[in-house]
Amino acid sequence: MPNFCAIDFGTTNSAIALPDKETMRLVEIEPGYSTIPTAVFYHAEDNSRSFGRAAIAEYIDGFDGRLMRSIKSILGSDLIEHETEVGPGTYVRYLDVVVAFLRHLKAVAEAQRGSPLDQVVLGRPVFFVDNDPIRDAKAQAALEFAARAVGFTNVVFQYEPIAAALDFEATTVSEELVLVIDVGGGTSDFSLVRVGPQHRDRLERKSDILASHGVHTAGTDFDRRVELASVLHELGYKTKGANGQEVPAATYFDLATWHLINTLYNPVRVNELRLMRYFYADEMYHRRLMKVVTEKLGHELAARTETAKIAVAAGGETMIDLGCIEAGLIHTFNEKQLVTAVEEEVRRIVAAALETVRLSGVAVERINALYFTGGSTGLRFLSDRLTACFPAARSVRGDRFASVATGLGLHASRLYGKISSPA
């Protein structure tokens, strides 16, 4: 039996493709779902782990432990070899969190396949780290180490936007130039690719990739900006201190960054924050901040912020319930505030798309299609800004959460097997 698979290890969601007779199929990783949130929950009581939706549910239900999300964003950072506390006196390396999650994906795939898997095509962003090729190479090396640690002996990488282009190509009837726009949780990647029936059976497609570019800016950056612009204002961010200057911002940036939230719960850091009381002209803000830190509410606030972002992006406004901080505390957030909060990030993403086309040497008006994939392309204000830059191209929307996995599966089938097309 074919012993290969393809894994889309995403910042927010992950997916697996397996060979199945004459096709590739996406694995039902959880009942009813072909994607799984990239999340691991470490139980403090017995050091056991839960993954995906179960991990998030157990965190929300108040189980004692540590929820780890956006773990892909750790690749390429200085944190990857550091340890983090997941329970009283229990520490794990961040890299081992990645290993644990990949091991879970592999085990699920092998259980459905009924046989071991030792070959894999792994997706990777165009850049794990912007403008730093050494750290970018280290990020890929860390991910390869994790893949080999779980038992894959043959590991091949494919750029995520290229995988999405392969998925788009399966629907084309003539040669086209497509700009793949893959905006996920951690990165925004772009590739201008020549696709068509006369190209799709070729394994080596390097000559069809006219340009690739990307930035380490995406959905989690939107979440950070939204939290700073909304929830964290209620905790004192951007307020004036007793001396007329703004209160120190570093704490709020850490509180808005998922993988740094836990650093605020360190006893030394908590004591430092207590001593900052006199920085605040209004001690109410300091009191709210200390409640969040001492009761470890940071991840709860991050989750409520993400929910608010999605609700507002669909139109209208939403009410963020902050009763966990203070009875009756509610923050109103609307689309205008959302667009203002993330304007810097949107400009950077749009600039990266235009730079991709510039690098290709192709005129903007020659692009036939924009292929949107990745969870954050569901944000209307972002996709509208990108579409406006390419008025001659039609917009095509793939499966925001599965297009990359499907394309990776197609590449894996051509590389390792003799399967001609995905399911």
Side-chain angles (χ1 to χ4, degrees):
M1 297 179 69
N3 63 348
F4 63 86
C5 68
I7 294 179
D8 175 20
F9 174 55
T11 302
T12 306
N13 293 280
S14 296
I16 318 166
L18 276 177
D20 183 18
K21 297 180 181 178
E22 297 303 315
T23 65
M24 292 292 290
R25 66 176 175 87
L26 295 181
V27 172
E28 185 178 351
I29 306 178
E30 297 179 327
Y33 294 97
S34 59
T35 62
I36 179 174
T38 308
V40 185
F41 184 77
Y42 287 82
H43 292 262
E45 184 175 337
D46 58 5
N47 294 325
S48 63
R49 293 179 299 231
S50 299
F51 301 91
R53 289 172 179 82
I56 295 171
E58 288 167 4
Y59 169 76
I60 292 173
D61 288 343
F63 282 75
D64 190 18
R66 171 84 183 276
L67 179 68
M68 303 285 285
R69 291 187 67 183
S70 303
I71 54 180
K72 184 179 179 180
S73 63
I74 298 168
L75 297 171
S77 77
D78 294 334
L79 288 174
I80 192 65
E81 289 292 345
H82 290 191
E83 292 186 336
T84 184
E85 188 173 16
V86 295
T90 303
Y91 295 82
V92 299
R93 286 191 309 168
Y94 281 103
L95 180 56
D96 290 332
V97 180
V98 177
V99 171
F101 188 78
L102 287 182
R103 180 173 286 115
H104 175 70
L105 293 184
K106 185 171 184 282
V108 171
E110 289 177 336
Q112 292 200 21
R113 187 63 181 159
S115 61
L117 296 166
D118 60 16
Q119 301 181 98
V120 65
V121 169
L122 270 170
R124 61 149 291 167
V126 175
F127 298 108
F128 283 104
V129 182
D130 295 342
N131 304 315
D132 194 332
I134 294 176
R135 288 178 63 196
D136 189 81
K138 287 181 178 179
Q140 179 172 306
L143 185 53
E144 181 174 350
F145 173 89
R148 294 189 183 280
V150 305
F152 289 115
T153 57
N154 192 342
V155 180
V156 174
F157 287 93
Q158 177 60 276
Y159 289 124
E160 291 157 1
I162 301 303
L166 296 177
D167 181 47
F168 171 78
E169 186 177 55
T171 67
T172 60
V173 295
S174 61
E175 182 173 297
E176 293 190 282
L177 290 178
V178 56
L179 178 63
V180 177
I181 299 172
D182 182 3
V183 186
T187 59
S188 296
D189 292 328
F190 306 89
S191 289
L192 186 61
V193 187
R194 184 186 294 110
V195 300
Q198 63 270 51
H199 302 283
R200 64 172 60 126
D201 290 329
R202 293 165 45 206
L203 181 61
E204 177 52 58
R205 300 295 299 273
K206 185 175 181 179
S207 62
D208 293 328
I209 304 168
L210 305 185
S212 289
H213 187 52
V215 288
H216 201 268
T217 302
T220 55
D221 299 285
F222 293 157
D223 294 341
R224 182 184 303 112
R225 289 294 186 182
V226 169
E227 188 167 3
L228 288 167
S230 58
V231 172
L232 297 186
H233 268 288
E234 303 290 355
L235 275 64
Y237 176 63
K238 286 288 186 180
T239 60
K240 299 292 185 180
N243 58 4
Q245 297 180 340
E246 286 186 4
V247 299
T251 298
Y252 298 100
F253 280 100
D254 289 350
L255 196 55
T257 305
W258 191 278
H259 63 275
L260 295 178
I261 292 171
N262 229 56
T263 65
L264 294 169
Y265 304 152
N266 182 286
V268 174
R269 193 83 184 271
V270 172
N271 286 333
E272 289 175 350
L273 293 177
R274 283 199 178 97
L275 295 175
M276 287 175 58
R277 179 167 61 92
Y278 298 105
F279 281 90
Y280 292 78
D282 188 339
E283 291 188 11
M284 172 191 69
Y285 293 118
H286 182 260
R287 184 173 63 251
R288 290 174 177 173
L289 175 63
M290 292 309 303
K291 183 177 178 65
V292 169
V293 172
T294 57
E295 297 190 13
K296 300 182 178 181
L297 299 174
H299 292 98
E300 174 67 21
L301 297 186
R304 294 191 185 195
T305 298
E306 182 182 12
T307 300
K309 177 197 71 175
I310 295 169
V312 169
E317 66 177 27
T318 191
M319 311 289 282
I320 307 175
D321 183 358
L322 300 176
C324 59
I325 301 173
E326 183 179 290
L329 182 60
I330 293 175
H331 186 93
T332 303
F333 196 65
N334 59 41
E335 188 172 19
K336 181 178 179 181
Q337 291 171 305
L338 170 61
V339 172
T340 300
V342 301
E343 176 60 26
E344 181 181 337
E345 283 71 23
V346 170
R347 279 203 304 265
R348 193 166 183 228
I349 291 170
V350 170
L354 293 170
E355 176 64 7
T356 306
V357 178
R358 189 195 69 78
L359 291 170
S360 74
V362 173
V364 168
E365 55 271 18
R366 286 188 55 206
I367 298 173
N368 303 110
L370 306 178
Y371 187 63
F372 289 94
T373 188
S376 294
T377 58
L379 300 173
R380 183 183 60 193
F381 64 87
L382 175 62
S383 58
D384 285 350
R385 287 278 290 273
L386 288 163
T387 300
C389 296
F390 306 96
R394 73 185 190 280
S395 294
V396 180
R397 294 191 175 274
D399 186 317
R400 289 191 291 126
F401 301 108
S403 292
V404 170
T406 301
L408 290 172
L410 181 54
H411 182 68
S413 73
R414 292 169 178 170
L415 184 66
Y416 295 129
K418 295 182 180 180
I419 299 168
S420 60
S421 63

